[in-house]
Amino acid sequence: MDALLQILITGLTLGSMYALGSVGLALTYGTMGMFNMAHGVFMTVGAYMSYTAASLWGLPIPIAIISGILAGGIVGAAMHLLIVRFMLDREDFQTTIMVATAGVAILLQDIILKQYGAYPFRQPLQIEGSFRIGQTAITYQSLAIMGIAALMIGAMAWLLTKTRFGLAIRATAMNQEAAQLMGVKTELTYFQVILIAGTLAATAGILISSLASLSPSMGTNPLIRAFVICVVAGLGSVTGAGFTALVLGVMEAAIGYYFGVRYGFPVLLGIVIVVLIFKPAGLFGKQGVIRA
Amino acid sequence: MMHLSDLKKHLIALLVILAFIAFLPMVITQRYFLGEIILFMIWASVATQWNVLLGHAGVFSLGQMLFFAIGAYAVAMMGYYLDASPWMSLPIGASAAAVAALFIGLACLRLGSAYVALLTFAIVFMVGTLVMTETNCFTTVGQTCQPLFGGGNGFSGFDDLGFRKLLKGKWVVGNYYVVLGVLAISLLASIIVIHGRLGLAFRAIGDSAIYAAARGMNRTKFHLIAFVITAFFTGLTGAVYAAHFRFAGPSLFDFSTLVFILAIIVVGGLKSTWGPIFGAALIMILVEFAKDMGDVQNSAVGLVIILFVLIFPKGIAGSATKIFRRAMTAKNL
């Protein structure tokens, strides 16, 4: 029982961070067919920015977190304005954008490495203490992580479903040309989507670094998780990505608990490949919905 | 002008390029430069195979470094544990890579291209992490523990190609021609694939997947064939890499290695035949300069990728053909 509760808590903490990381990725793919290889570096940027704000500039923690989140959004917006904008009309957009964003990823990662060094820092944004249910210790830190993740994803869900702005995004995702004909400025929509994805990724990065530590390559691991989650959920399915993230988080925690942390991800990936053999468009994806 | 088929023209070009590279050791004697050219040939071969897969067959695999690593590790492990000569393990490494590609391909290639990219990327990452985090000792040599797959340090110091004994001080030249041989096989295979019947099938599928399917062409089958063939030659290149450097380690799985080779392909020109050769030469020179300027090679590679994707999406090969065509039409006018 205690082990089960422990696994559940660890898994949901992991899962909510993964959800935060993958929802943005699913959103960008769903709206514009773009797979962003720099998504992981957005996480790194967010984490380093809030570290800088809190430790080096001595700003209070809430402001440090917000500045980290904003930094992710700004980097995303800059990438759209400088690069993605010019490539939208390419015939082979889907592949070339992956190559271009891989370039952005390695460039940003190298800049962070040169600026801060390879030595891993401790993220100062920590909440000390824990309480107990039975024998299981639950840290306030993991509660805060789940809370922040729920808040951010909730805010995004509200934006997407309840506002005109969200309607424009959903319309563009369904059919770009029809949306354009209805007066949606699709280019602006794309910009907003990358901005949202950047802020979500940065939040994920801040939360992840509060559990582990800061290093220039910290984004790679969650990025791959996010990839796998989006693939299982069905590319572009935003809600599906959120749910899948939670489930995979708990599964990874369970495998890690029983077989060792080393095997958590490999076993997960094996299961994912088996799932894809039976459902090639993912669990929540509809065959043929994705634009060619 | 003589009428030669596309295939023959490219084969003649291949002979010229190979003859040129074969001639270089006559004038260049510094070991450092020869080493750099060997590295150039290795990356050019990997990029050529990847270009066949990515540019021509349309399989968006990010897993090529896994096949390279399988070839390299096969040579390293057989040399380390069995004292096998690389000459014997070269074909074994290449075949192991092809077998791995067959299984991964069967699992992934039915899916859409974005899925293929993400899954192959995840698989490489997973294997890399498993190798790097391995801590159980398989054997203990002196005081050092050696995990089965080498752990974070990898393997080094196993048997080389045997030229150190044979040619003494000029052993690099021996390795040089072996690597050149591998490059020659890899290029020859790529030309035959691109300009032969397989290439025709790739073009048909690329032009209209639905029409090709209606004519009875199985997309997954052709993608799988391309995946396995390119994995074989990528594995062979990896094997010769390990034999030359007497090293194989988890750094081969690094994201920066992957992006480095992507840069070669993008700069050379996706969908070209000869682009990767020129791309490899240019990126090697770029990295050499960037190292001198304070280890900024990753930034430089990133910047170059972005610039080329934005401004010259067809790479050098594409731009060169364009200029050439323009010059030809100008003359005819």
Side-chain angles (χ1 to χ4, degrees):
Chain A
M1 185 60 209
D2 279 337
L4 221 58
L5 192 65
Q6 188 66 56
I7 290 170
L8 207 62
I9 295 292
T10 318
L12 286 179
T13 314
L14 273 180
S16 50
M17 292 189 295
Y18 292 169
L20 210 45
S22 35
V23 162
L25 201 64
L27 186 67
T28 29
Y29 187 85
T31 355
M32 50 204 290
M34 156 176 165
F35 241 106
N36 185 3
M37 299 285 283
H39 197 74
V41 184
F42 290 178
M43 302 185 199
T44 319
V45 167
Y48 270 89
M49 185 62 216
S50 44
Y51 162 81
T52 312
S55 288
L56 304 184
W57 301 344
L59 295 174
I61 283 179
I63 297 181
I65 292 181
I66 291 172
S67 54
I69 295 174
L70 287 181
I74 291 170
V75 173
M79 191 178 87
H80 179 81
L81 292 177
L82 294 174
I83 300 167
V84 181
R85 191 157 64 104
F86 302 105
M87 298 176 59
L88 285 167
D89 298 325
R90 296 264 177 88
E91 196 184 322
D92 47 357
F93 175 73
Q94 233 189 43
T95 40
T96 44
I97 197 67
M98 274 180 97
V99 176
T101 49
V104 173
I106 201 99
L107 176 64
L108 285 178
Q109 194 174 321
D110 205 40
I111 291 174
I112 292 173
L113 178 71
K114 293 281 152 11
Q115 200 65 37
Y116 293 89
Y119 183 76
F121 294 111
R122 187 170 171 277
Q123 177 67 274
L125 314 173
Q126 307 274 356
I127 307 166
E128 301 297 333
S130 62
F131 65 93
R132 285 179 175 279
I133 299 177
Q135 292 296 307
T136 323
I138 300 168
T139 57
Y140 292 120
Q141 180 79 8
S142 38
L143 283 188
I145 287 174
M146 287 187 248
I148 293 178
L151 189 73
M152 289 298 285
I153 293 176
M156 192 199 72
W158 177 77
L159 270 179
L160 279 182
T161 51
K162 298 278 187 252
T163 61
R164 276 183 73 79
F165 155 77
L167 190 66
I169 293 180
R170 284 183 294 139
T172 315
M174 276 177 204
N175 190 329
Q176 185 198 342
E177 277 168 16
Q180 259 169 344
L181 290 172
M182 295 302 125
V184 175
K185 294 191 181 65
T186 45
E187 190 152 319
L188 184 66
T189 309
Y190 293 151
F191 174 75
Q192 292 160 337
V193 163
I194 295 189
L195 195 72
I196 294 176
T199 53
L200 289 175
T203 320
I206 298 169
L207 297 183
I208 290 166
S209 67
S210 75
L211 277 189
S213 58
L214 289 159
S215 70
S217 59
M218 60 168 274
T220 316
N221 207 328
L223 175 70
I224 301 215
R225 259 39 167 215
F227 278 175
V228 170
I229 288 163
C230 287
V231 165
V232 177
L235 290 180
S237 165
V238 177
T239 340
F243 281 116
T244 314
L246 289 179
V247 173
L248 290 193
V250 173
M251 273 170 64
E252 190 177 337
I255 299 164
Y257 182 85
Y258 289 111
F259 301 99
V261 176
R262 212 176 143 232
Y263 298 103
F265 184 66
V267 174
L268 211 61
L269 192 58
I271 296 172
V272 164
I273 290 173
V274 173
V275 167
L276 287 174
I277 290 174
F278 296 104
K279 296 210 64 145
L283 291 177
F284 297 84
K286 288 185 210 115
Q287 199 97 38
V289 151
I290 296 155
R291 279 183 289 124
Chain B
M1 214 173 103
M2 277 192 302
H3 282 284
L4 290 172
S5 72
D6 243 15
L7 185 62
K8 280 191 187 132
K9 269 187 218 158
H10 282 290
L11 287 178
I12 292 169
L14 173 68
L15 280 181
V16 173
I17 287 181
L18 289 179
F20 175 72
I21 303 178
F23 169 74
L24 283 177
M26 316 284 168
V27 280
I28 298 170
T29 45
Q30 293 97 321
R31 187 177 293 177
Y32 176 75
F33 284 115
L34 289 178
E36 288 293 296
I37 300 173
I38 289 177
L39 205 53
F40 151 76
M41 292 192 282
I42 287 171
W43 296 135
S45 166
V46 175
T48 302
Q49 294 302 324
W50 201 352
N51 181 45
V52 170
L53 196 58
L54 188 61
H56 295 273
V59 182
F60 199 29
S61 155
L62 295 175
Q64 292 314 96
M65 284 317 287
L66 176 65
F67 305 128
F68 186 84
I70 289 176
Y73 269 89
V75 166
M77 288 172 68
M78 288 180 67
Y80 191 87
Y81 293 121
L82 309 172
D83 278 328
S85 152
W87 289 107
M88 213 179 76
S89 41
L90 278 176
I92 297 178
S95 314
V99 171
L102 181 67
F103 283 111
I104 295 176
L106 280 174
C108 300
L109 289 180
R110 298 181 318 125
L111 307 167
S113 78
Y115 286 85
V116 173
L118 301 183
L119 275 182
T120 47
F121 190 58
I123 290 171
V124 176
F125 176 78
M126 178 196 76
V127 175
T129 314
L130 276 182
V131 167
M132 230 176 314
T133 56
E134 191 182 17
T135 46
N136 296 338
C137 302
F138 184 69
T139 51
T140 312
V141 183
Q143 291 299 311
T144 50
C145 156
Q146 182 75 27
L148 178 56
F149 290 101
N153 295 323
F155 296 93
S156 49
F158 42 85
D159 250 5
D160 61 357
L161 289 161
F163 290 115
R164 277 188 175 80
K165 260 184 227 141
L166 205 66
L167 300 173
K168 302 285 182 313
K170 300 199 95 180
W171 61 270
V172 176
V173 182
N175 281 4
Y176 184 98
Y177 284 108
V178 174
V179 177
L180 178 62
V182 169
L183 177 68
I185 299 172
S186 163
L187 283 173
L188 181 66
S190 81
I191 290 171
I192 292 174
V193 168
I194 295 172
H195 298 282
R197 289 178 62 82
L198 261 178
L200 212 57
F202 296 151
R203 243 170 293 156
I205 293 169
D207 286 345
S208 168
I210 297 171
Y211 185 61
R215 302 295 307 225
M217 294 174 64
N218 183 344
R219 184 192 74 125
T220 309
K221 191 185 92 186
F222 283 108
H223 279 183
L224 191 62
I225 293 173
F227 200 58
V228 172
I229 293 179
T230 53
F232 180 85
F233 292 106
T234 310
L236 184 65
T237 316
V240 84
Y241 169 93
H244 169 65
F245 285 101
R246 301 168 81 192
F247 170 76
S251 58
L252 296 177
F253 296 104
D254 276 357
F255 182 59
S256 52
T257 322
L258 179 98
V259 180
F260 172 75
I261 299 178
L262 262 185
I264 292 176
I265 301 175
V266 169
V267 168
L270 205 63
K271 296 182 187 171
S272 64
T273 308
W274 296 102
I277 295 270
F278 300 109
L282 273 180
I283 294 287
M284 291 274 303
I285 294 168
L286 174 81
V287 164
E288 209 52 31
F289 275 113
K291 269 186 193 157
D292 284 344
M293 288 167 62
D295 265 353
V296 289
Q297 64 266 36
N298 282 344
S299 300
V301 165
L303 264 181
V304 164
I305 288 188
I306 296 168
L307 286 180
F308 265 82
V309 170
L310 276 180
I311 304 168
F312 312 103
K314 294 218 158 100
I316 314 170
S319 307
T321 338
K322 214 186 210 172
I323 292 167
F324 181 72
R325 289 228 174 97
R326 212 172 275 164
M328 291 299 275
T329 42
K331 222 186 270 173
N332 290 343
L333 277 175

